[in-house]
Amino acid sequence: MTGIVQFENVGLRYGTGAETLSDLSFSLAPDGFYFLTGPSGAGKTSLLKMLYLAQRPSRGSIRLFGEDVVALRRSRLPGFRRRIGVVFQDFRLIPHLSAFDNIALPLRIAGVDERDLVTPVREMLAWVGLGDRASARPPTLSGGEQQRVAIARAVIGRPEILVADEPTGNVDPEMAARLLHLFDALNTLGTTIVVATHDIHLLSRVAKANVMRLDRGRLADPTGALRYPPKPDFGAEHLA
Amino acid sequence: MRIGATAADRRLLPEGRLAGPMPWVIAIMIFLTALAAAGGMAMGASADRLGGDLGRRITIQILNPDPARRDAEAAAVTAAIEKESGVLAVNRVGADAMRALLKPWLGDVGLTQDLPLPAMIDVDLSAAGRARLDAIVAAAKAAGPDVHVDDHARWIAPLIGLIRSLGLLAGLVVALMVGATAAAVVLAARSALDTHRETIEVMHRMGATDVQIARLFQRRIALDALFGGIVGLIGATAVILTIGAKLAAIGSGLVGSVSLPGSAWLALVCMPPLAGLLALVVARATVLRALGRSL
């Protein structure tokens, strides 16, 4: 049994500067729920970028879905990326497309027939409370509405891994709770969830979630909870 | 290779067609290319026609001042030449025709009945006949000792050479124009990539392949090039027809021989679709190459 994500001694350096991320070693369980926290500049977004294959590490090994992706040929990356949903911190909605078309984009990229994508996209729009804004373009939506469209776009394809960078930063507490509930439901269906957040209140909202804390480019894992499968003595340490 | 994109895909790039200068640049390129190509093809056709009509004709003159002996020699030469293989037609130029030819230079006064004019025989040869010209000339000289042979190919060869050189120059211009058109497409594709960098980035992150993204650009650029090509060809056609009418009005045999054959018109009509195809291939290659440098 192996983790769906495995980092081994991963380091990331931009240009010739010091390493932004150093010696990252962790494994994420196939049905795990993880919060990634840490102060600004700790490297959370950089870590997420490597996770959703937007950045290759400078050193170390990354395995996704059981395959080493560090040396993966470019032509094979799209197949992996389609299995990963991403909620960007700045949403990255396509401004000239309607909310419907933005959410439908991953399905169209995956080659889903137009007739087959209308119902799921409309359901997703309704779920995030934007059923009546299907034809609205992002510039006409509020920040919170844009964020919900971004989340709907990330989850519409039922990804195996969902990576979200500050997904509740622009929504009210009620909507934040609904979004976490959506993530939780996806997690129950088997999606591994990784949510980067500054919001310490969020961490207590999902009881089963593990917390990954980054500080100055290093990942703290004092209990070994970020090892999958866990260390054999993990439970004993906790009981002690 | 799938060329187009679906209607939903096409919405990913917001700009309508003709949004940039590319279609108009292509229109100018095709206008100039069509003119150069038409010029080259007309010259090529003209050179072929001159080589065929005049290059395979010889004129035999019988230079004997005695009319009776001249006529006898002409008849003997005509009979001898007609027996030779490769000879298509033998026509003796009549006395009236000779006088009509000379009248502009000598006038009625100079054209007296006792003016000794040579007997002239036009001989049209096939390609095979042209190849055995020496044998035909020898046969003519054997039949008439006062024979002088005027080989039209000898004096027309430099003119044909000049026309063919101009035709090759036109071909070179066409080749340069094709290169310049391809370069314009490369610049347009790079500009479009830069404009839509954000959209491309998002699509890549969602698992779009390079080919899927290239398809969005290649279709639009090909349609822009097709439109520009049609506009350019319409302009060039107007110019070609105007020049053709003016050349025809000159009425000179050599100048009048410059005309555009049907196959050349067909080639010109094919230019806009070919420009579209060129744009499609170049845009696709440019986009794929650029995307290949990203992760």
Side-chain angles (χ1 to χ4, degrees):
Chain A
M1 191 163 52
T2 58
I4 195 167
V5 175
Q6 289 177 290
F7 276 49
E8 286 297 334
N9 299 316
V10 169
L12 177 64
R13 185 194 304 274
Y14 293 108
T16 55
E19 279 195 332
T20 303
L21 295 169
S22 299
D23 303 325
L24 299 183
S25 294
F26 61 87
S27 302
L28 305 184
D31 55 356
F33 197 123
Y34 300 88
F35 282 116
L36 177 62
T37 67
S40 294
K44 297 191 295 293
T45 299
S46 293
L47 194 159
L48 294 186
K49 276 184 167 179
M50 289 194 288
L51 204 50
Y52 60 74
L53 301 175
Q55 180 75 50
R56 288 194 199 270
S58 308
R59 63 182 172 87
S61 152
I62 299 176
R63 294 179 74 82
L64 289 182
F65 314 113
E67 277 203 66
D68 186 349
V69 294
V70 174
L72 203 64
R73 282 189 294 125
R74 267 192 91 254
S75 59
R76 291 197 60 207
L77 288 175
F80 281 81
R81 285 172 175 155
R82 289 178 192 185
R83 300 166 73 181
I84 304 169
V86 186
V87 182
F88 300 101
Q89 190 170 13
D90 52 358
F91 318 142
R92 298 204 195 169
L93 300 177
I94 298 177
H96 51 271
L97 292 185
S98 66
F100 182 98
D101 283 335
N102 265 290
I103 294 171
L105 188 57
L107 300 182
R108 286 183 173 134
I109 287 172
V112 174
D113 194 272
E114 285 295 310
R115 287 167 299 186
D116 297 333
L117 59 77
V118 173
T119 302
V121 172
R122 292 213 175 275
E123 283 176 0
M124 189 56 69
L125 271 164
W127 205 93
V128 295
L130 295 171
D132 57 344
R133 307 298 312 271
S135 57
R137 294 177 186 225
T140 67
L141 298 172
S142 69
E145 288 173 327
Q146 289 184 37
Q147 194 150 29
R148 282 181 273 160
V149 173
I151 290 167
R153 184 180 66 181
V155 303
I156 185 78
R158 294 278 303 279
E160 291 169 63
I161 301 173
L162 177 70
V163 178
D165 199 354
E166 301 286 357
T168 57
N170 286 290
V171 295
D172 56 52
E174 186 190 348
M175 181 50 66
R178 285 182 66 185
L179 293 176
L180 274 184
H181 182 71
L182 169 64
F183 291 167
D184 197 16
L186 275 171
N187 181 237
T188 305
L189 290 170
T191 299
T192 302
I193 311 283
V194 181
V195 178
T197 183
H198 276 104
D199 186 356
I200 55 170
H201 301 295
L202 215 58
L203 307 185
S204 59
R205 302 287 282 269
V206 183
K208 62 185 171 185
N210 290 297
V211 176
M212 305 165 71
R213 181 169 174 77
L214 265 179
D215 194 6
R216 282 175 287 187
R218 289 178 184 274
L219 192 63
D221 184 21
T223 64
L226 302 179
R227 279 285 166 190
Y228 184 83
K231 289 178 185 174
D233 56 348
F234 172 58
E237 281 177 12
H238 265 257
L239 291 172
Chain B
M1 180 172 80
R2 203 177 119 196
I3 292 171
T6 66
D9 290 342
R10 289 200 286 276
R11 287 201 295 276
L12 284 166
L13 303 185
E15 290 177 0
R17 279 196 291 282
L18 317 180
M22 216 274 283
W24 307 109
V25 171
I26 298 284
I28 294 168
M29 297 287 192
I30 293 296
F31 174 77
L32 297 174
T33 306
L35 288 184
M41 288 187 287
M43 286 180 194
S46 175
D48 289 345
R49 205 172 299 127
L50 287 173
D53 293 349
L54 298 176
R56 291 212 293 263
R57 173 175 284 185
I58 59 173
T59 298
I60 297 172
Q61 298 180 49
I62 315 291
L63 304 172
N64 193 312
D66 180 350
R69 290 186 59 187
R70 187 169 63 226
D71 286 346
E73 246 183 76
V77 168
T78 301
I81 294 293
E82 281 175 338
K83 291 177 191 161
E84 291 294 319
S85 66
V87 173
L88 298 176
V90 181
N91 296 307
R92 183 171 175 186
V93 181
D96 292 341
M98 292 280 290
R99 290 178 185 283
L101 282 172
L102 292 171
K103 191 175 177 181
W105 283 271
L106 301 179
D108 288 331
V109 178
L111 282 172
T112 57
Q113 282 300 325
D114 56 349
L115 181 69
L117 295 176
M120 292 181 71
I121 304 166
D122 283 336
V123 181
D124 291 328
L125 305 173
S126 65
R130 174 75 218 177
R132 55 185 303 276
L133 178 64
D134 289 344
I136 293 169
V137 170
K141 286 188 172 171
D146 302 314
V147 158
H148 172 82
V149 176
D150 181 9
D151 182 2
H152 293 208
R154 195 171 298 162
W155 63 264
I156 207 156
L159 181 61
I160 291 176
L162 173 65
I163 292 172
R164 289 207 188 281
S165 298
L166 290 173
L168 287 174
L169 183 63
L172 181 64
V173 170
V174 169
L176 289 174
M177 284 293 177
V178 169
T181 303
V185 171
V186 169
L187 292 176
R190 285 182 183 167
S191 170
L193 278 173
D194 203 41
T195 302
H196 300 290
R197 187 183 302 278
E198 290 285 320
T199 301
I200 293 167
E201 170 74 10
V202 169
M203 290 183 70
H204 257 159
R205 294 288 81 84
M206 291 178 181
T209 62
D210 291 350
V211 170
Q212 279 178 308
I213 294 170
R215 210 175 277 145
L216 302 177
F217 290 91
Q218 72 194 29
R219 181 185 178 279
R220 161 160 311 166
I221 290 174
L223 286 176
D224 282 356
L226 180 64
F227 171 83
I230 290 170
V231 170
L233 183 62
I234 289 171
T237 301
V239 172
I240 292 165
L241 291 175
T242 304
I243 291 175
K246 289 186 183 300
L247 285 176
I250 292 172
S252 158
L254 281 179
V255 176
S257 71
V258 179
S259 64
L260 216 49
S263 58
W265 282 110
L266 186 64
L268 292 180
V269 168
C270 288
M271 275 191 176
L274 286 176
L277 187 64
L278 173 74
L280 186 141
V281 172
V282 171
R284 182 185 177 89
T286 304
V287 172
L288 288 178
R289 187 178 165 85
L291 294 178
R293 286 194 285 264
S294 65
L295 182 58

